[in-house]
Amino acid sequence: QVRLVESGGGSAQAGGSLRLSCEVSGRTFSRFAMGWFRQRPEKERGFVAGIAWNGRTAYYSDSVRGRFTISRDNAKSTVYLQMNNLEPEDSAVYFCAAATVAYGLGNRAADFGTWGQGTLVTVSS
């Protein structure tokens, strides 16, 4: 059974930083792209960042590019999201997700078949 467990959420002030982690078990982590999504109250879940199976390609939404960095450690089966220069608009529940197809890429929720439970990030002004 594939399991994704996020950690690292919490509260920060605007301009601060947080680092999210997502540990994956139950599958060959290194074969699959990983992504981070976020969902604000009464909003749809939206793409934040993605990283290819080998870590060589990373891609971001326009709203976080230049402030957030996604990375992965295949030896630890863990993907990270470093969030710098946080803004109140970054407040949301953040979900990590594993791509459905091995060696594929995507930035739509439909491209990712397995999801974590989410971790809350709150940024105050």
Side-chain angles (χ1 to χ4, degrees):
Q1 181 179 356
V2 182
R3 190 162 179 246
L4 282 64
V5 179
E6 300 103 334
S7 60
S11 298
Q13 290 192 328
S17 298
L18 286 172
R19 189 193 196 203
L20 305 183
S21 299
C22 174
E23 185 172 1
V24 180
S25 60
R27 78 166 2 172
T28 306
F29 176 79
S30 60
R31 294 169 57 190
F32 294 87
M34 295 295 297
W36 286 96
F37 289 73
R38 66 187 181 187
Q39 188 167 18
R40 302 182 186 90
E42 300 182 0
K43 299 289 186 181
E44 290 187 358
R45 193 171 298 186
F47 174 78
V48 175
I51 188 166
W53 62 277
N54 58 7
R56 293 179 182 174
T57 302
Y59 42 106
Y60 302 90
S61 67
D62 290 342
S63 61
V64 307
R65 187 177 294 112
R67 300 187 298 121
F68 290 11
T69 303
I70 188 171
S71 61
R72 65 190 295 161
D73 185 337
N74 284 350
K76 296 182 178 180
S77 297
T78 301
V79 61
Y80 305 95
L81 186 67
Q82 177 66 44
M83 305 185 294
N84 296 330
N85 195 18
L86 284 162
E87 302 170 353
E89 293 73 22
D90 295 318
S91 297
V93 177
Y94 283 72
F95 299 88
C96 72
T100 303
V101 178
Y103 307 117
L105 288 175
N107 62 357
R108 305 172 303 152
D111 297 322
F112 296 83
T114 308
W115 296 80
Q117 81 286 354
T119 185
L120 179 63
V121 171
T122 303
V123 183
S124 58
S125 58

